[in-house]
Amino acid sequence: MDRAQSGDLDEYDRALINAFQGGFPVCEEPFERAAAALRERGIDLSGPELLARIERLDREGVLTRFGALIDASEIGGTATLVAMHAPEERYEEVAETVNAHREVAHNYEREHPHLNMWFVLSVADESRVEEVLAEIEAETGQETYDLPKQREFRVEAKFMLDGPVPEGDVDLSDLGPAVEPSGRSSLTPDERDLLLAIQGGLPIVERPYAAVAEEIDADPGWVRETIKRFDREGKIRRIGAIPNHYALGYTENGMTVWNVPDELVAEVGPAIASLPFVTHCYERPRHEGVWPYNFFAMTHGRSEAESEQRIEQVRERMAEFWDVDAEPASARRTESGDVEDEDWDTLFSTRILKKTGIRLDERADANTD
């Protein structure tokens, strides 16, 4: 049983997790400023107490890390989502072959009658996507279906808990140095070193930015300014607690996929992205005869019932724009596997096959002057 469900997370733990999944300050002593903001919300914690709690939650695995969530797409290179079929009798063999490619960052088994393996390919050079997929096809004998992001409507995987600060609306990102975007897409060597130093999290110490500066032999003021500028430029999506959503009880995740009329995608995207429980929302290409869906929305729930309820809320919002079947394709598929209309479906993940994360070092190196 996870800590959140077992009740081991007290109101202070829940408050800081809710409050600081983003908006953590980039200043000399950020834990003092963050604790002061919590005290304004009635959460009586000092800076050292807040720091100690975050260190414990990180150590116990409630957080995957504490610090900056870097947007790899803004650093260099590219990533794409790929689907494929792995025959049941060869599934483990195919998974092992796919996972052996260092460019495969994540791989999941998902419930679908044909496309039952889904992985993320991350490369420093976009031309490598086609090369790696050709290698995988040759090695496995199975066709791959590239589903690159065409439009992003939302990427904000925040997981709120019952308790204080339920809206998670504490934002201290305005604290610290005043910065302006650089206007550069490439990185300097010093910027690359900084990104690589913080990609796994900030040191959980009283002055984390000074600790990073010492690690890379840089000026602490420059570190704070650059991290804050990266936040403004979008190279960093947010700074704060990055929770382990499984440890918080969000064990059910459904990748909902939709065959949205092309002329409506621009309207549908923002509407679905506005639902607070949708963590990822993209337009992706169809593959004729194999994959009819062009819109993806990921939802998470703390139980099967909550997950189903949230998926139905997505469907209801979709139905405001076009005539959507009440049931997913999987519920209407015949024994032969046929289904008349494929308006939408939900692909639940059944197993994590690989999860090593994006190789930011290679992508940053390729984009460094």
Side-chain angles (χ1 to χ4, degrees):
M1 182 176 293
D2 64 75
R3 286 176 51 82
Q5 290 176 319
S6 67
D8 288 345
L9 296 180
D10 64 22
E11 66 170 339
Y12 297 100
D13 292 335
R14 291 169 180 266
L16 73 86
I17 290 171
N18 284 348
F20 293 119
Q21 289 184 47
F24 196 73
V26 183
C27 56
E28 193 170 0
E29 295 185 350
F31 291 98
E32 289 291 347
R33 303 297 293 271
L38 286 179
R39 290 196 295 273
E40 291 177 1
R41 300 294 188 98
I43 308 301
D44 190 15
L45 285 176
S46 67
E49 288 170 337
L50 174 61
L51 188 156
R53 282 179 176 270
I54 289 176
E55 191 280 329
R56 173 176 53 78
L57 294 174
D58 180 70
R59 173 168 32 87
E60 294 178 348
V62 176
L63 306 181
T64 60
R65 63 187 182 280
F66 185 85
L69 183 61
I70 296 171
D71 185 349
S73 66
E74 295 293 325
I75 301 306
T78 191
T80 188
L81 178 66
V82 182
M84 68 183 296
H85 171 68
E88 184 178 350
E89 66 278 9
R90 296 179 50 228
Y91 198 92
E92 301 306 321
E93 171 199 337
V94 172
E96 185 175 344
T97 301
V98 171
N99 292 347
H101 286 265
R102 63 199 308 274
E103 297 89 350
V104 173
H106 309 289
N107 192 4
Y108 289 84
E109 181 179 13
R110 290 192 178 275
E111 295 177 342
H112 188 267
H114 182 62
L115 300 180
N116 56 1
M117 187 176 292
W118 292 75
F119 58 92
V120 173
L121 203 64
S122 173
V123 295
D125 184 344
E126 190 170 354
S127 67
R128 277 292 288 158
V129 171
E130 189 174 340
E131 294 172 1
V132 175
L133 294 185
E135 292 168 8
I136 289 174
E137 290 183 353
E139 293 163 359
T140 64
Q142 300 299 130
E143 189 169 358
T144 61
Y145 300 94
D146 189 13
L147 297 161
K149 175 177 62 178
Q150 295 178 316
R151 268 190 285 189
E152 176 184 304
F153 295 102
R154 182 177 187 176
V155 179
E156 191 174 24
K158 293 185 177 181
F159 302 93
M160 296 296 114
L161 297 172
D162 297 331
V165 203
E167 301 301 320
D169 56 350
V170 177
D171 185 359
L172 304 179
S173 59
D174 60 321
L175 297 178
V179 295
E180 293 291 336
S182 68
R184 292 182 285 104
S185 59
S186 61
L187 302 170
T188 68
D190 288 341
E191 290 172 342
R192 175 201 58 204
D193 292 347
L194 174 58
L195 279 170
L196 298 185
I198 67 174
Q199 67 173 325
L202 290 170
I204 306 177
V205 295
E206 183 181 5
R207 298 184 177 185
Y209 307 111
V212 171
E214 183 175 358
E215 177 186 345
I216 64 174
D217 192 22
D219 177 71
W222 177 85
V223 166
R224 292 193 297 272
E225 289 173 8
T226 306
I227 290 176
K228 189 170 179 182
R229 174 167 57 80
F230 282 167
D231 191 30
R232 292 286 186 269
E233 292 173 343
K235 292 182 176 67
I236 291 175
R237 289 189 182 275
R238 61 181 186 271
I239 301 169
I242 314 298
N244 176 350
H245 61 274
Y246 293 105
L248 298 188
Y250 285 88
T251 56
E252 301 291 324
N253 73 81
M255 186 174 74
T256 69
V257 292
W258 307 82
N259 187 5
V260 178
D262 290 336
E263 67 275 12
L264 295 179
V265 171
E267 293 181 75
V268 168
I272 301 303
S274 70
L275 297 170
F277 51 81
V278 171
T279 59
H280 300 74
C281 189
Y282 304 106
E283 179 186 12
R284 298 187 185 274
R286 302 180 178 90
H287 283 269
E288 188 174 354
V290 179
W291 186 252
Y293 309 110
N294 63 336
F295 191 93
F296 288 58
M298 180 70 76
T299 66
H300 293 262
R302 287 164 288 189
S303 66
E304 186 175 338
E306 183 177 63
S307 181
E308 290 177 354
Q309 180 186 47
R310 290 179 168 183
I311 290 168
E312 175 58 18
Q313 287 179 261
V314 175
R315 193 202 67 80
E316 289 174 353
R317 182 63 61 88
M318 283 282 187
E320 296 175 10
F321 296 89
W322 55 293
D323 187 18
V324 185
D325 280 321
E327 293 185 313
S330 55
R332 295 179 289 106
R333 192 168 278 114
T334 64
E335 290 185 7
S336 64
D338 296 329
V339 59
E340 184 176 345
D341 296 311
E342 294 187 270
D343 280 357
W344 68 285
D345 209 347
T346 301
L347 279 65
F348 290 100
S349 64
T350 54
R351 191 163 39 132
I352 300 173
L353 303 172
K354 182 179 182 180
K355 193 170 185 178
T356 59
I358 301 296
R359 292 182 180 276
L360 194 63
D361 52 349
E362 296 176 4
R363 292 173 61 168
D365 284 345
N367 191 37
T368 299
D369 292 333

